[in-house]
Amino acid sequence: MLQQTTVVAVVPYFERFMTRFPTVQQLAEAEESEVLKQWEGLGYYSRARNIHKAAQIVSSQLGGIFPSDVAGLQELPGIGRYTAGAIVSFAYDKRAPIVEANTLRLYARLLGYDGDPRSKEGQQVLWSFAEAVLPKTQPGRFNQALMELGASLCSPKLPDCEQCPVSGFCRAFRDQTQLEIPQLAKRAVITDVTEASIAVRRNNAYLLRRRTTGERWAGLWDFVRFELAAATTDDVPHIVESVHQRTGLKIDLGPQLAELKHGVTRYRITLKCFVADSVAGTLRDGEEWQWVKAAKFDDFALSVTGRKFAKLLAESLF
Ligand code: SF4
């Protein structure tokens, strides 16, 4: 997660996670919903699911012993070449190369590599270089030092080449091409999406549905939620019909309570939040539903926007 967000954001999660699951055995035996609950708010939930699955494999198939080589680690779900190299070199101090965002930039500049560093050819060039420069002693320390050099002096926009201890070997510095190398990744096109989230209420409890495999935020709970057609001026008939199709319930839709904005991968989402009363019908089979009182929302792992909406409901008198 340190690749996606800041140390400050991750540390409290790490500490809570390690307190709740201090051994691989305890993590393996936990329910997935409990693992997701501890992870809630960090995003990238497939990582939590993969850590959980990996713990189950280590516990049940590997006698509780975590692999200490790159090939063995890459057999575990969610562990790719970089993560395997980082674990092997940092934790076991064994020779294993790593290329991540900071060393990618550093190596590309040292080599003066002006091709696309994310292409197949670029990856080959950089991984071969990472392997070639690895020392026999203290490879873990060496890898961490290079990552630190990439993150500090060899920064993307303002590399401090005058202070750099390896400027004498750096082709980009020699050619004064530091700011053109590495080639930048193409920016993803951002798409605007409008969605509706409906807190359907019956007997003072709200309807939650567990999101299924293949959906965004699989395994987390959410209010009834779906995309709205962008061109719709009056959402009400569409929402009433959509809730009926998804849940089997007929609703009396209340006014819009809130509008939340958030981003997920390449989508910029506007989420319109409504409360509705269930007035007829029975819940459709084939989904995991729960009627939950507002005071019990904390027992369920929700997405960030789901949690915001839940707090609004818990704090209001709707
Ligand atoms: S000399 Fe400059 S561009 Fe080259 S590695 Fe050092 S900081 Fe990066």
Side-chain angles (χ1 to χ4, degrees), residues 106 109-110 153-154 159-161 164 166-167 170 173 178:
L106 177 73
R109 285 173 172 169
L110 287 171
L153 292 181
C154 196
D160 191 355
C161 302
C164 179
V166 294
S167 59
C170 180
F173 178 57
Q178 305 94 312

Side-chain angles (χ1 to χ4, degrees), residues 111-124:
L111 289 167
Y113 182 74
D114 60 5
D116 179 356
R118 292 159 198 87
S119 67
K120 199 170 166 207
E121 183 210 84
Q123 285 287 297
Q124 262 166 8

Side-chain angles (χ1 to χ4, degrees), residues 67 69 72 80 95 116 161 206 224 233-234 297 318:
D69 63 295
R95 280 188 92 239
D116 179 356
C161 302
Y206 296 91
V224 182
T233 48
D234 181 6
F297 282 148
F318 294 99

Side-chain angles (χ1 to χ4, degrees), residues 1 3-5 36 39 41-49 217 265:
M1 285 311 300
Q3 289 175 283
Q4 311 297 344
T5 182
L36 291 173
W39 199 273
L42 261 184
Y44 301 90
Y45 294 95
S46 60
R47 295 184 181 196
R49 282 191 291 275
W217 308 315
T265 59

